[in-house]
Amino acid sequence: MTRTAGSHGPTTQKAIQDAGLRLIHHHGYAAMSLRQLAGEVGLQVGSLYNHIRTKQDLLFDLLHGHMESLLTALDQALAETADPEDALRRFVAFHVDYHITRKAEVFICYSELRSLEPDNYAIIVGLRRGYERRLIAIIEQGVARGCFRVGDAPVAAYGILAMLTGVCTWFRPDGRLTAADLIDQYTAMVLNAVKGP
């Protein structure tokens, strides 16, 4: 495939990231080749290096961009609420919606974490812990105010995250439930879990 006419700079960079995301999601990081990636965006393999240094850099940039976007969007969703129950409702709605609308990014962030080199791995894990800490803080605040009853806030948070993230594996937009239905059901389950008997 020949280079796309007029492709340059930021436009080409975005095309490379979009194609890289699709290829890694479909084939896996180890199986994806830079030759495939170059072909997807209409570049010669040698020209690809004008935009990315290595395949590892591409993976890191995809995961880092995903985590930065996730954290920024979550902070916006949680802004201007001081009530733990409201914050937890917002967290559930945000997490479910984000994870069903950005399935490819979420999938590779979980499945390809193992493919990162140690320094890159530490950065992404640190960002993931930041996301987890936001949920832990909501639960701890609810416990402190007497509206949540959990014995261990981090364990409760990890359980909630595992349940919510599971929607990526089975939810279909054309299925029996709408996204709004799903958010309502998961919100009810999460609130029941943290409020206790």
Side-chain angles (χ1 to χ4, degrees):
M1 181 181 282
T2 58
R3 180 182 172 121
T4 303
S7 66
H8 64 282
T11 302
T12 303
Q13 187 69 34
K14 181 164 186 337
I16 290 168
Q17 290 201 331
D18 290 347
L21 178 66
R22 286 193 308 274
L23 289 169
I24 295 171
H25 184 233
H26 184 71
H27 299 289
Y29 173 76
M32 184 203 80
S33 72
L34 291 181
R35 185 171 300 281
Q36 281 178 303
L37 179 61
E40 282 283 313
V41 293
L43 294 174
Q44 297 296 320
V45 175
S47 298
L48 198 58
Y49 293 107
N50 293 325
H51 303 280
I52 60 170
R53 290 186 309 158
T54 65
K55 190 166 85 163
Q56 175 69 199
D57 285 347
L58 172 67
L59 179 64
F60 175 74
D61 287 346
L62 287 171
L63 269 59
H64 190 265
H66 164 72
M67 288 306 306
E68 294 262 316
S69 173
L70 179 71
L71 290 167
T72 298
L74 176 61
D75 288 342
Q76 290 170 353
L78 296 176
E80 299 178 9
T81 184
D83 176 64
E85 185 170 330
D86 181 49
L88 188 54
R89 286 179 182 277
R90 291 184 188 202
F91 183 94
V92 172
F94 167 80
H95 188 94
V96 171
D97 181 69
Y98 191 97
H99 282 63
I100 62 178
T101 57
R102 300 188 64 177
K103 290 175 73 170
E105 292 97 324
V106 170
F107 177 82
I108 69 165
C109 199
Y110 281 91
S111 66
E112 298 297 351
L113 192 62
R114 65 186 180 216
S115 300
L116 290 170
E117 293 172 355
D119 288 347
N120 290 339
Y121 177 90
I123 292 168
I124 300 302
V125 168
L127 292 171
R128 286 177 61 164
R129 288 191 178 133
Y131 188 80
E132 294 162 356
R133 280 195 298 271
R134 285 160 171 80
L135 178 56
I136 292 168
I138 291 169
I139 296 170
E140 287 176 339
Q141 185 180 38
V143 171
R145 293 192 183 185
C147 51
F148 297 160
R149 297 178 60 188
V150 297
D152 189 306
V155 170
Y158 301 144
I160 290 167
L161 287 169
M163 178 178 71
L164 297 179
T165 303
V167 302
C168 295
T169 63
W170 63 266
F171 178 76
R172 299 289 176 267
D174 58 350
R176 181 172 58 86
L177 297 173
T178 67
D181 293 333
L182 189 62
I183 287 168
D184 287 346
Q185 290 198 35
Y186 271 85
T187 299
M189 288 190 288
V190 168
L191 288 174
N192 286 339
V194 298
K195 286 186 172 185

